[in-house]
Amino acid sequence: MHSTAPVSPEILSSLSTNPETVSFYDPTTATVSHLIMDPQSSHAAILDSVLDYDPTSARTGTQSADVLIREVERRGLTIDWLLETHIHADHLSAAPYLQSRLGGRIGIGREILRMQQTLGPLFHPDHGFARDGAAFDHLFENGERFLIGSMPVVALHVPGHTPADLAYLAGQCAYVGDTLLMPDCGTARADFPGGDARQLYRSIRKILSLPAETRLYLCHDYTAPGRPEVQWQTTVAEQRAHNIHMHDGMSEDAFVALRSARDRTLGLPCLILPSVQVNMNGGRLPEAEANGVRYLKIPLNSI
């Protein structure tokens, strides 16, 4: 079981630099990518990028990623990291494409090894698919410290949505991936392979133990009744007061019951099969076959 202890004061005190963040919303997948910049240098990281994919034509595109590239070039930034919070089931990662244009190292949590071992066989991959994490440049340990330029960042293991979810802490900011949504939308689902509603509860409690003023940057927003505009930034205080699934006073058992009941009503994301097989491989598309065409695999009657 992962540690449920609050983030230590020593770690928080070491996060002395507040990043500058510019966010980019992809309306097709409701995904938010973040450009995280060290204000004391020209160095930055890109978090949870999107490769465009049309499932009706099976065509990929780089329009969303190219918007990020133009912003990086406009600001004269050096990209140190291409970070993933987890293996996404709703969009393909553009990290390899961005790396080819901007450089940087592709990083994800070490628990991706569990995902590769569990889900890899579903797609009957050939010998070119490594299940040892080698498709990524770096696998972060829980609590590991690293730098964007001179800005300290800490990777925090927050499983529950998937076994491999990470949040990234920098200054008074936390980039929490899918784990939390806006307060009026609640929390991530916990019914994907390896997901666990109890782990999700404990991970969220860890995030909500951060100082009340901590700004939380989210990976998705689906809006909510009475709120048509898209939002992706909130605070620990707002979540603790108003999150419809995880406000103060919500017990673990009550959350598990609520989350499990909600998950039973949800269908699978329409891009889960393309996304998982690509994203487990570091965002790399399958190698072309003898006819020069790349093929995604769609396992029938398997999930």
Side-chain angles (χ1 to χ4, degrees), residues 191-210:
D191 61 336
F192 290 154
D196 186 290
R198 290 194 182 277
Q199 281 195 332
L200 181 61
Y201 178 90
R202 296 167 188 174
S203 293
I204 293 172
R205 294 309 310 170
K206 184 188 296 187
I207 291 170
L208 297 185
S209 74
L210 295 168

Side-chain angles (χ1 to χ4, degrees), residues 148-192:
I148 299 173
S150 60
M151 179 175 65
V153 184
V154 170
L156 189 68
H157 186 214
V158 287
H161 176 54
T162 79
D165 282 63
L166 287 184
Y168 296 95
L169 311 183
Q172 293 180 321
C173 300
Y175 304 85
V176 300
D178 289 12
T179 299
L180 281 164
L181 302 173
M182 290 299 293
D184 54 7
C185 288
T187 71
R189 63 195 296 170
D191 61 336
F192 290 154

Side-chain angles (χ1 to χ4, degrees), residues 117-135:
Q117 294 295 329
T118 301
L119 294 178
L122 179 64
F123 302 101
H124 196 237
D126 60 23
H127 65 278
F129 177 80
R131 299 186 205 173
D132 58 0

Side-chain angles (χ1 to χ4, degrees), residues 151-264:
M151 179 175 65
V153 184
V154 170
L156 189 68
H157 186 214
V158 287
H161 176 54
T162 79
D165 282 63
L166 287 184
Y168 296 95
L169 311 183
Q172 293 180 321
C173 300
Y175 304 85
V176 300
D178 289 12
T179 299
L180 281 164
L181 302 173
M182 290 299 293
D184 54 7
C185 288
T187 71
R189 63 195 296 170
D191 61 336
F192 290 154
D196 186 290
R198 290 194 182 277
Q199 281 195 332
L200 181 61
Y201 178 90
R202 296 167 188 174
S203 293
I204 293 172
R205 294 309 310 170
K206 184 188 296 187
I207 291 170
L208 297 185
S209 74
L210 295 168
E213 67 274 13
T214 303
R215 296 194 301 278
L216 304 180
Y217 288 88
L218 316 179
C219 183
H220 291 288
D221 185 45
Y222 305 103
T223 69
R227 179 176 63 83
E229 73 278 8
V230 175
Q231 297 178 6
W232 52 77
Q233 184 181 334
T234 178
T235 67
V236 165
E238 290 169 350
Q239 292 282 2
R240 293 182 63 167
H242 302 298
N243 189 286
I244 60 173
H245 297 161
M246 199 56 184
H247 50 78
D248 281 355
M250 174 66 76
S251 71
E252 182 172 324
D253 287 344
F255 173 80
V256 170
L258 183 154
R259 185 68 263 171
S260 299
R262 169 68 176 151
D263 288 347
R264 285 192 291 271

